[in-house]
Amino acid sequence: MLAFVLLLLLSMLVSIDAFAIGFLFGLKRIRIPLIIIVLIAMFSSFVIFFSMGIGRFLGELVPSSIIQTIAGILLIGLGIYNFIYEMPLYRRSYFVMVALLMNVDSLGYGIQAGLAERSFWFAPIAGVIIFSAFILGIIYGHETKNRFILRYISVIPSFIFLLLGFSKLIF
């Protein structure tokens, strides 16, 4: 039972990025086809499953802190780029970039889980929770009426990406 609770908590940790990014899409009132969200969640689940296998295979060869640092730097770079150029969040290439960046740290978590010999159930559980977090983020972002947030909507994505990036570097 304790192992399942741990897998659930790890899955929630992995899904924080999905909630934040879904919130951004909701704030901008961007409609995302459900199939795209399903594909992102399935891709995340696959990345975790694959990286767990790598983690079990490699042992302690690659420190997961390096992977987390790379994810943080990439998210900070995306935040700075978005702050300067304000990328349109509706482009298909942006969805691909979001899916890849969300999963850089999923790769690290999967390797860690593989090193700790956690159950491979972590991958599908994480996929379902990532899907749910993305949907909840979109709903919450779409329903928000906070005037401060709505006033500065154009720079909020940049700050969220920066915060996510710094959180990966610090924690």
Side-chain angles (χ1 to χ4, degrees), residues 3 25-27 41 52 56 63 72 77 90 93-94 98 119 127 130-131 134 153 155 157 160 166:
F25 287 123
L27 274 178
M52 286 179 74
R56 288 199 177 173
Y90 55 84
S93 61
Y94 192 85
V98 165
S119 169
I130 286 169
F131 174 80
F134 209 98
I153 197 168
V155 294
I160 289 181
F166 284 122

Side-chain angles (χ1 to χ4, degrees), residues 25-42:
F25 287 123
L27 274 178
K28 296 262 187 176
R29 308 287 196 266
I30 296 170
R31 292 188 180 262
I32 303 171
L34 189 60
I35 190 70
I36 297 291
I37 299 170
V38 169
L39 289 174
I40 289 173
M42 288 174 60

Side-chain angles (χ1 to χ4, degrees), residues 82-101:
N82 192 29
F83 188 69
I84 295 169
Y85 295 107
E86 194 178 341
M87 291 184 299
L89 296 177
Y90 55 84
R91 289 192 180 156
R92 286 187 191 269
S93 61
Y94 192 85
F95 292 129
V96 172
M97 188 171 33
V98 165
L100 291 174
L101 287 175

Side-chain angles (χ1 to χ4, degrees), residues 14-15 17-19 21-22 40-41 43-44 47 71 75 95-107 109 130-131 134 161 164 168:
V14 170
S15 69
D17 294 354
F19 178 82
I21 292 169
I40 289 173
F43 181 69
S44 299
V47 166
L75 283 167
F95 292 129
V96 172
M97 188 171 33
V98 165
L100 291 174
L101 287 175
M102 275 177 49
N103 286 297
V104 171
D105 65 331
S106 293
L107 182 71
Y109 288 122
I130 286 169
F131 174 80
F134 209 98
F161 283 126
L164 286 172
K168 297 205 180 310

Side-chain angles (χ1 to χ4, degrees), residues 113-146:
L115 289 172
E117 296 186 3
R118 302 273 182 245
S119 169
F120 278 98
W121 280 104
F122 174 50
I125 291 170
V128 168
I129 292 179
I130 286 169
F131 174 80
S132 302
F134 209 98
I135 295 288
L136 287 173
I138 290 170
I139 291 169
Y140 185 70
H142 188 48
E143 296 296 321
T144 201
K145 305 268 191 265
N146 186 318

Side-chain angles (χ1 to χ4, degrees), residues 24 78-80 82-84 154-163:
L24 293 176
L78 180 61
I80 291 169
N82 192 29
F83 188 69
I84 295 169
S154 63
V155 294
I156 288 174
S158 303
F159 285 117
I160 289 181
F161 283 126
L162 288 171
L163 287 174

